[in-house]
Amino acid sequence: MAHFIVYIMICLLLILMDTLEMLLSFLAPISMVLQNSATVVTVQDEEEKVVPGEVKVKVGVVFDLDSVFGEMSLSCISMALDDLYSSRSYYKTRIVLHSIDSNDTVVDAAAAALELIKKEEVQAIIGPTSSMQANFIINIGDKAEVPIISFSATRPSLTSHRSSFFFRAAQNDSSQVKAIGAIVKTFKWRQVVPIHSDNEFGEGIIPYLIDALQEVDTDVPYQSKISASARDEQIIDELNNLMKMPTRVFVVHMAPHHASRLFTKAKEIGMMKRGYVWIITDAIANLLDLIDPSVLEAMQGVVGIKTYVPRSKGLDSFKHDWRKRFQSYYPRRKEEDIPEVDVFGLWAYDAAWALAMAVEKAGTDNLRYTSTNITASKMNSTNYLYTLGVNQNGQKLRDAFSNLKFRGLAGEFSLIDGQLQSSLFEIVNVNGNGRRNVGFWSAESGLRRKVEESERSAKGLRSIIWPGERIVTPKGWEIPTNGKKLRIGVPVKHGFREFVSVIRDPKTNATIDVGGYCIDVFKAVIETLPYKVDYEFVPANPNFSYNELTYQVFLGKFDAVVGDITIRANRSSYLDYTLPFTESGVAMVVPMKNSKKTNAWVFLKPLTRDLWFVTAFFFVFVAFVIWILEHRVNEQFRGSPLDQLCTSLWYSFSTMVFAHREVTLNNLTRVVVVVWLFVVLIITQSYTASLASLLTVQDLKPTVTDINQLLKNGDNIGYQDGSFVYEILKSLKFHDSQLKSYESPKEMHQLFTRGSINGGISAALDEIPYIKLFLAMYCSQYTTTEPTYKADGFGFGFPIGSPLVPHISRRILEVTESERMKKIEEKWFKTLKECTASKVAELSSTRLSINSFWALFLITGVASLCSVAFYVGKFLYDERTRWQNVQSPIGERLYKLVGEFMKRDQRAHPLRRRISINGVPFNPQAIVASDDDHPRRD
């Protein structure tokens, strides 16, 4: 609609110009008074400079001639033509400039272009100044086949016209968005707010900027549009709105004079202080030299993207002569008012130089316009475009201009698809009365500190002085001190209040307090942040499910959600989670039953079969050792062979209950008995404990071990009301009639008590934190079993892209690893303990094996064998005269040794052979020396 209105206005203006032209032919004396405001101006009377024999080629120029930018641009164009023709005097063509003032309006710019084409029949037009003016002129040039060459219309959408007669001798605004994205990525800012003019120029770069920021995982939560005609009060209102938001990184894209007002007001309200980040596009950074020093004072700390212009001898020479030559064009300008030439002036110089070369190359064979074939109705129409002619030399000039390549003042001049190619940007930092270089950016090497690209080139940027004269990089966001508190949504639970508890006034229903394990963890995390965060807990609708609760953050009803909220993939599409602060997983809890079956032989179970055999063997072995050591000196171990066998076995087995009464006389025997008694003590005590556990401790086992068993039997299974576990159960093909919900541990226990037959449940599926709390209350009755499903635990939820998320996640790690977390757990889960079927089964089924006692048996065996070996060795030494008699056969000698070993030891001390029989002392010396006699018992 706006284009249509402009079009109508232009047509009406041109009709009025035709009418005025007819009147002026009769009123010549006053023609200058009535001349249209779009006055034709010829710079320095170019016609007088044309040498005879050279062809004059008309070229139009459409600028705001009264502005500094227009004067600088027109001067650069004129200087380019002077320099070219003075260095190439052999050229047969000479460009004659016809400049028309656009008055900085779209209508006047379009009217000027029509006037230049229709009246002056120019071969090309340099200009206009702005992208909005170029939007309409491009169509005019395309229809008349007149090349339109702009060095300042940078809006990306101009390429959508796809006109082969439009050339942009400047960089496209979209070429710098990657550089902005690289800066944002380097400093790890998660959110950026663009501030741009509310017009086609300001909006043109935004889609490309948003795409570049999203590539580096940066969100654009808001776009600030400020009209170029906005009053100071409106600018301040918009800046105040930005101050209430957490984002502190702003990208400004607007005209320099518009940006000057913005930064001045930002300085006034305190947005140019510590913590803020301001990035300006090349639309402002390229013209910093034209900005008033008082405005630069307000822009301290701003980072800008500036077109890089490489130094050259030609550029140095041009800058050296610039002031003198500019003043020759505009003598009214004072020395101090002469502007510094910027990159737009250099582009204007290169564009004029290139156009002069293209005109010479295209030739002058046909510089005329031919009228198009139009009908009578169109001839009489008010549409002024119908009467435009077609430039016969336009296509040749277009082709010649497209193929030009040379090194100009601004760098390499090369057009691809009518667009000047960009290669390198300079990153500048506004500081003091000017700017300082902090680095460069190119698509090939990214950010670097030096323009020369090499392996040793340092990546990144030099130190930047940010607003507030701070070197420390701002974090890019903060909780607004003049904004509202964060609204933290919390679920309202009827059970498991240990996690989240909302206490209300029974009369007014007002919230009195919000507590619980999750709430205390959140408070502890917030307290560790290095900055203050104001927040308030807002209880959610009790009827909300957890999915509905988290979705309220996406809708903007809450600034965050805190509670027993599980991290789920489906919720992450509209929510950003922190790291979890609880154990993760989903498990099944089932009742336990006693599977123990007792019988008459239960007393054999404490020991394994191997241990029984080894123990019995050592009883016999110890009996044999005691007989060897005692039968020659102790009358109680004498007698018939059967008596000796029974006495030895009796003595050994009686040690099992410590009922042995026989006196041992041999010291070696006493050593063996002491060791054996210690072994017997350990075995009997262990046996007693194991038997007691078998008889008293229940052998508890889960009633259900497989969830598929529930499906097969059609049993009911429970889940917590509102939990995502319902979705898991549905995915496992459970019917709704089998699913029973509960809201508290008590209600869960009641469902288990009733059982599936009576409308209860046979098992329950829930998250591990809830199960641990339930088992703490009913540990002896329930346990967990397979399967265990993966879940990511409880986390806090924030809006997508919230800068709080990484900060709180890091603080969660600190809190969970500190003593503070243990205190919180002890506060809410005092009785919490592990209670699993595996541990109960391990306790009830433990049996004693030989692995637990082999060392004791080894000690007993070694002590016994050593004692026997010593005793036998001593016996052989005492009887050496018998077995060393070589006159007797060896068999006979062995027989006599064995016989002697079976007899009493007559050499033993009498006290060691003294015994008591029936309480009467017995004197061994009274024993008859006969080896076959037995002691008398009186």
Side-chain angles (χ1 to χ4, degrees), residues 193-243:
V193 172
I195 305 176
H196 59 87
S197 302
D198 190 11
N199 52 32
E200 293 181 356
F201 164 73
E203 295 174 349
I205 194 177
I206 298 303
Y208 302 92
L209 178 61
I210 293 176
D211 290 344
L213 293 174
Q214 288 178 345
E215 288 180 5
V216 296
D217 296 326
T218 300
D219 186 35
V220 179
Y222 177 74
Q223 297 180 35
S224 177
K225 302 178 182 180
I226 301 178
S227 173
S229 59
R231 301 187 305 275
D232 290 348
E233 295 79 7
Q234 293 174 316
I235 295 177
I236 291 176
D237 290 343
E238 180 63 19
L239 291 175
N240 283 326
N241 290 334
L242 295 177
M243 288 183 68

Side-chain angles (χ1 to χ4, degrees), residues 456-477:
R456 296 185 178 181
S457 297
K459 298 294 184 180
L461 300 173
R462 298 185 183 92
S463 60
I464 297 175
I465 301 176
W466 303 98
E469 298 183 355
R470 297 277 295 182
I471 299 179
V472 179
T473 303
K475 61 179 180 291
W477 67 275

